[in-house]
Amino acid sequence: MSDERGLVLEQVRIALAGRELVSISARVARGETLTVMGPSGSGKSTLLAYLGGFLDPAFSASGAVRVDGVDLTGLAAEQRHAGILFQDPLLFPHLSVTDNIAIAIPQAVRGRSRRRAMAEAALEDAGLSGFGGSDPDTLSGGQKARVALQRVLLSQPRLLLLDEPFSKLDANLRDQTRQMVFTKARDAGLPVVLVTHDEADAQAAAGEVHRVGDP
């Protein structure tokens, strides 16, 4: 293990049927965000899939991915500990709000009461005290986004991958949710990779911007 801190992408290249979609080398410090912008179909989400370890085998890819000096490139997805937020919060409809969060707590944390207390504390931190027993379908879009974020953070990820998680929120909620996500990531010291086509997302992220698929 080296003394590198944060996320390092070293000559990452992704292609489909011989056509290169992504070519990037970058360093993302802890708490900072790399924004990858481009039109639909340009390879933005494909890059996240490569970083997370779940790239479709139809794509060919090469290049190293390291976090704090740990080489993730050869690791299975579940060993990479990449936290991911998608456009949809993907809450489990058969679980309560509390259980939706608790399910992400690492197995090393023992005891139902302890795990439940951690989940309840995360809800309180997100301004959702009292919602723990609720059906997730009763939450607003912004509330669902907060639950999804807290679930990811409780999983103790090495890095945070954002796949246009603000795109389905209305303008006011979008601003609030952006601020919450980037603040939480900074506080947790997580390197973040955001893919988006929204310039306002990139501005809020306040980090390096890499563009793919531009003419």
Side-chain angles (χ1 to χ4, degrees):
M1 184 185 300
S2 76
D3 61 356
E4 291 173 333
R5 308 287 272 182
L7 170 66
V8 174
L9 309 182
E10 189 174 283
Q11 297 182 347
V12 171
R13 292 184 172 85
I14 303 172
L16 179 63
R19 181 171 71 92
E20 187 174 90
L21 299 175
V22 176
S23 176
I24 183 172
S25 291
R27 183 182 295 267
V28 189
R30 289 180 174 185
E32 294 188 359
T33 299
L34 168 67
T35 299
V36 180
M37 299 195 69
S40 296
S42 59
K44 304 187 305 297
S45 294
T46 305
L47 173 62
L48 292 192
Y50 181 65
L51 301 183
F54 51 92
L55 182 66
D56 188 301
F59 295 88
S60 60
S62 61
V65 180
R66 296 190 297 275
V67 177
D68 294 341
V70 178
D71 190 349
L72 307 187
T73 317
L75 299 181
E78 62 272 15
Q79 296 173 313
R80 296 192 183 199
H81 302 295
I84 307 171
L85 288 177
F86 296 99
Q87 289 183 21
D88 295 304
L90 302 179
L91 303 183
F92 297 109
H94 63 288
L95 297 178
S96 69
V97 172
T98 295
D99 288 341
N100 260 281
I101 291 181
I103 198 171
I105 299 172
Q107 291 300 312
V109 179
R110 301 290 185 178
R112 177 176 171 80
S113 61
R114 183 182 175 199
R115 295 168 69 86
R116 191 168 190 83
M118 290 175 65
E120 293 287 358
L123 283 178
E124 183 177 355
D125 182 59
L128 293 171
S129 294
F131 286 86
S134 300
D135 181 329
D137 285 342
T138 65
L139 302 182
S140 69
Q143 290 169 335
K144 288 178 181 178
R146 281 183 270 167
V147 172
L149 174 62
Q150 295 298 73
R151 181 173 63 184
V152 164
L153 294 176
L154 274 186
S155 73
Q156 299 178 8
R158 283 190 174 109
L159 69 160
L160 184 60
L161 306 177
L162 304 178
D163 193 353
E164 304 205 45
F166 317 117
S167 63
K168 292 190 174 181
L169 300 172
D170 65 44
N172 185 46
L173 275 177
R174 199 175 303 147
D175 290 340
Q176 292 178 12
T177 307
R178 282 190 195 111
Q179 183 178 2
M180 177 186 67
V181 169
F182 295 130
T183 298
K184 292 287 188 186
R186 281 195 299 269
D187 290 347
L190 293 173
V192 180
V193 180
L194 164 70
V195 302
T196 185
H197 61 269
D198 189 339
E199 294 284 353
D201 287 348
Q203 186 174 9
E208 180 184 346
V209 177
H210 180 83
R211 298 181 186 273
V212 297
D214 286 342

